[in-house]
Amino acid sequence: MKLRKVTAASAVVLALAVSATACGSDKKDEGSSGGGGKKKITVGIKFDQPGLGQKTPQGYSGFDVDVAKYVAKKLGYSEDQIEWKESKSGDRETMLQRGDVDFIAATYSINAEREKKVDFAGPYLLAHQDVLIRADDDSIKSPADLNSKKLCSVTGSTSAQNVKDKLAPKADLQNYPTYSACLGGLQSKQLDALTTDDSILAGYASQDQFKGKFKLGGFKMTNENYGIGVKKGSDLKDKINKALEQMVADGSWEKAVSINFGPANYKYEQAPKIGDIKS
């Protein structure tokens, strides 16, 4: 009888254990929703680029952010299911390879070296290296006019050196820590021009405090094919490409460009076709 009692008690304990395990599994499943059975999707963006990817007290804004939100929605995620992560230029490949993010939309130019490490959907925007000058300055009408001018870019950038090496060898290069610092120098006439991607320049010039004070040169010195980076071999690539095509087709792409770059009078290229990489 004693043995029967112990066995019965053991059966009760076992039943409770199985029940607890099942409840734990149910709870985990309840926390998973949205595309791919995951509660959240993690997206890498820039946090410090007005008009493209910027973190503000009100949240996140910019063209890259709008593209990422649209793509996430098509993948089955609402805005409150997006976890945003800052993706600095030098960290992007590592973040994707480690799985820190599901995809990155952060002025991420597609090139052969990067494609060895990650895959790209897109492109979704064709940008160009350009210069930003004061709105009342008519002395810079071509890259050659930058000779003997004070040309600014951020420390570590190759944009200004590219101009000096190929287009204006007598340009006076000035390296500043941030684009905002360059803009301050440009506004105070300590600098004559700022160079980087035209989309980035347009984003900065569209800020309320700078509206109407600057203009783009429109020189199109390079082609920068912005793509959405994903982990090598990820099945997200094809899904994101379809979402990007839908964004263009339903007018959402055009609307996002106008909202984020319009104040700078940015003469943007039409939306590129998926897989069409301009060299």
Side-chain angles (χ1 to χ4, degrees):
M1 288 294 295
K2 188 175 182 180
L3 179 60
R4 289 172 61 86
K5 287 180 180 179
V6 171
T7 302
S10 299
V12 171
V13 171
L14 179 60
L16 289 172
V18 171
S19 176
T21 302
C23 290
S25 298
D26 290 344
K27 187 174 183 179
K28 183 177 180 181
D29 289 341
E30 287 172 2
S32 299
S33 60
K38 292 169 60 179
K39 184 178 180 180
K40 297 282 187 181
I41 188 166
T42 308
V43 180
I45 57 169
K46 293 291 181 67
F47 277 14
D48 59 353
Q49 286 185 344
L52 285 154
Q54 186 177 28
K55 183 179 181 180
T56 70
Q58 293 74 40
Y60 301 90
S61 63
F63 180 67
D64 283 346
V65 174
D66 289 343
V67 170
K69 286 178 179 178
Y70 187 97
V71 168
K73 183 177 180 180
K74 291 300 180 181
L75 293 176
Y77 298 90
S78 58
E79 284 189 30
D80 60 2
Q81 289 179 301
I82 301 174
E83 180 183 353
W84 302 103
K85 282 197 175 183
E86 183 175 18
S87 297
K88 296 180 179 179
S89 295
D91 299 335
R92 291 175 297 201
E93 285 84 46
T94 301
M95 292 179 73
L96 288 168
Q97 290 170 331
R98 285 194 313 224
D100 296 341
V101 290
D102 293 297
F103 68 81
I104 290 178
T107 59
Y108 203 0
S109 296
I110 302 169
N111 63 41
E113 189 61 32
R114 289 170 178 164
E115 286 185 306
K116 294 177 183 177
K117 303 174 183 177
V118 300
D119 285 340
F120 285 98
Y124 63 91
L125 183 73
L126 177 60
H128 308 278
Q129 186 182 340
D130 201 355
V131 296
L132 193 70
I133 55 182
R134 288 183 294 278
D136 60 357
D137 186 353
D138 295 323
S139 66
I140 302 174
K141 298 179 180 178
S142 72
D145 292 331
L146 294 168
N147 281 307
S148 301
K149 299 284 189 179
K150 291 182 179 178
L151 178 65
C152 185
S153 195
V154 297
T155 303
S157 169
T158 60
S159 298
Q161 192 63 48
N162 182 52
V163 172
K164 187 172 178 65
D165 289 345
K166 300 177 182 179
L167 301 166
K170 294 182 180 179
D172 181 9
L173 294 187
Q174 304 281 318
N175 289 317
Y176 278 47
T178 64
Y179 290 119
S180 295
C182 284
L183 281 168
L186 189 58
Q187 187 173 11
S188 65
K189 298 187 178 181
Q190 293 177 314
L191 299 167
D192 299 304
L194 161 61
T195 186
T196 187
D197 294 359
D198 54 7
S199 58
I200 297 174
L201 295 174
Y204 276 98
S206 293
Q207 295 178 95
D208 289 340
Q209 67 268 37
F210 295 131
K211 286 180 180 177
K213 295 181 179 179
F214 304 110
K215 63 183 178 183
L216 289 161
F219 299 154
K220 298 184 179 181
M221 294 180 279
T222 64
N223 290 327
E224 305 296 335
N225 302 273
Y226 289 176
I228 293 182
V230 298
K231 191 173 185 178
K232 201 75 175 172
S234 172
D235 62 359
L236 280 179
K237 177 180 175 178
D238 290 339
K239 295 177 182 178
I240 293 174
N241 277 334
K242 290 178 181 177
L244 292 174
E245 288 176 336
Q246 289 176 305
M247 187 176 189
V248 173
D250 68 18
S252 298
W253 184 92
E254 190 86 23
K255 181 179 179 181
V257 171
S258 178
I259 290 172
N260 291 294
F261 302 129
N265 195 28
Y266 177 36
K267 294 179 175 61
Y268 57 90
E269 301 276 2
Q270 291 301 304
K273 292 186 180 299
I274 299 301
D276 184 11
I277 311 298
K278 303 293 186 184
S279 59

